[in-house]
Amino acid sequence: GAGVSQSPSNKVTEKGKDVELRCDPISGHTALYWYRQSLGQGLEFLIYFQGNSAPDKSGLPSDRFSAERTGGSVSTLTIQRTQQEDSAVYLCASSPRGQPQHFGDGTRLSIL
Amino acid sequence: AQTVTQSQPEMSVQEAETVTLSCTYDTSESDYYLFWYKQPPSRQMILVIRQEAYKQQNATENRFSVNFQKAAKSFSLKISDSQLGDAAMYFCASPRGGADGLTFGKGTHLIIQP
């Protein structure tokens, strides 16, 4: 079956612009996660959605970052007024609750 | 804050040999899972193996096995009969501490010498 799908695969934008990153999880997976992977680093947790519960936003690095998940399925991560330090690979994962996470291929974001 | 430490930034092994990647973690949970993920240049994170902390028996998946020492909070990955396709970044992950989501180490870059 289809895995976690992320788009775009690569995004280049100018400093100060807003960007939207999309994640389409595996059908039926109630949990959805966003992580950020900076160059040469491990994954940094950003935000977690579980079903209809309020999301866990404790990993968002600043108020320029936000995310939503519509209808318990597709999620969008938005970064406003992008800065060069936002350059990274943004990975999305989904899972049935309590089960291992399945990851997408990520979006490589480059801020000029 | 929960931490995961992978002390080997890079490891190199001859094809067909055995290599062990180390990982230590810090968690206050009593019942949890630990994971090793593989990330090839394609960027996708692939689950290699997971260990349930309440199980004393070390997990095994074909050529991959773990040495789990709960008291020491150590969770190493052993790869037997290394193959060229095993070349990748390997990340150890533990629970995020009272919340869903994972804390990852900084990774070990595994090189397989033909």
Side-chain angles (χ1 to χ4, degrees):
Chain A
V4 177
S5 178
Q6 291 189 245
S7 61
S9 180
N10 293 281
K11 177 72 176 178
V12 180
T13 192
E14 294 179 347
K15 177 182 172 181
K17 299 288 188 182
D18 297 352
V19 294
E20 286 189 351
L21 312 179
R22 175 189 170 102
C23 173
D24 201 339
I26 293 172
S27 179
H29 283 190
T30 56
L32 187 147
Y33 310 79
W34 282 99
Y35 295 87
R36 178 171 70 176
Q37 184 177 26
S38 300
L39 187 63
Q41 300 295 312
L43 278 67
E44 172 192 11
F45 168 83
L46 296 178
I47 189 169
Y48 161 64
F49 295 89
Q50 173 58 49
N52 295 320
S53 302
D56 176 352
K57 305 179 182 180
S58 59
L60 294 178
S62 79
D63 58 9
R64 296 186 297 104
F65 288 72
S66 63
E68 62 178 22
R69 188 179 185 190
T70 54
S73 181
V74 173
S75 177
T76 302
L77 176 69
T78 301
I79 308 173
Q80 296 178 308
R81 306 180 302 281
T82 51
Q83 304 294 313
Q84 288 188 331
E85 61 263 29
D86 299 335
S87 295
V89 174
Y90 290 81
L91 288 157
C92 176
S94 72
S95 73
R97 184 162 197 176
Q99 295 300 310
Q101 299 170 33
H102 298 258
F103 285 82
D105 290 344
T107 294
R108 182 178 299 281
L109 177 63
S110 300
I111 309 299
L112 302 178
Chain B
Q2 310 300 306
T3 57
V4 176
T5 302
Q6 293 180 250
S7 59
Q8 305 150 318
E10 186 173 280
M11 291 284 284
S12 182
V13 64
Q14 290 290 129
E15 193 176 3
E17 296 295 308
T18 296
V19 63
T20 298
L21 310 183
S22 66
C23 173
T24 58
Y25 61 95
D26 178 19
T27 182
S28 55
E29 303 288 302
S30 58
D31 186 15
Y32 52 91
Y33 285 92
L34 297 166
F35 303 88
W36 278 97
Y37 279 90
K38 168 185 177 181
Q39 187 180 43
S42 65
R43 290 201 311 246
Q44 188 177 28
M45 297 285 283
I46 302 166
L47 178 66
V48 174
I49 197 166
R50 70 169 176 171
Q51 172 77 42
E52 297 172 81
Y54 69 87
K55 287 188 176 179
Q56 293 192 351
Q57 185 175 6
N58 290 323
T60 300
E61 288 287 342
N62 300 312
R63 297 183 295 106
F64 299 87
S65 61
V66 301
N67 182 3
F68 174 50
Q69 303 289 331
K70 189 173 183 179
K73 294 184 178 175
S74 171
F75 180 58
S76 61
L77 174 69
K78 185 171 83 171
I79 306 174
S80 304
D81 185 25
S82 298
Q83 300 176 1
L84 295 177
D86 295 335
M89 286 292 294
Y90 285 80
F91 293 94
C92 176
S94 76
R96 203 164 54 86
D100 288 279
L102 298 172
T103 298
F104 286 82
K106 292 188 175 182
T108 296
H109 181 208
L110 179 63
I111 299 168
I112 309 296
Q113 304 279 6

